[in-house]
Amino acid sequence: MGMVLGLLPIVGAPLPILSYGGSSMMAIMLGLGIAMSCRVYKDTPVN
C-alpha cells in the first residue's frame, strides 16, 4: 500500500497475513509466534 503512494520502494515484499505463499506464510507465522511467546513469558526469570 505504501508502494502505491510512493512512500516505500517497489520490491515485491509480501503483505503480512494477506499473502498466501508457502515460505512467506511460514516466516510470518514463526515471527508472530516468537513475538507472542515473548509477550506471554515476559515476567518469567531466565535461570
Side-chain angles (χ1 to χ4, degrees), residues 18-32:
L18 300 178
S19 298
Y20 290 104
S23 59
S24 159
M25 189 61 121
M26 187 63 111
I28 291 169
M29 290 301 152
L30 181 68
L32 285 174

Side-chain angles (χ1 to χ4, degrees), residues 8-43:
L8 297 171
I10 300 172
V11 293
L15 291 174
I17 308 297
L18 300 178
S19 298
Y20 290 104
S23 59
S24 159
M25 189 61 121
M26 187 63 111
I28 291 169
M29 290 301 152
L30 181 68
L32 285 174
I34 291 171
M36 289 172 60
S37 178
C38 290
R39 173 78 177 177
V40 168
Y41 294 109
K42 67 180 178 180
D43 295 329

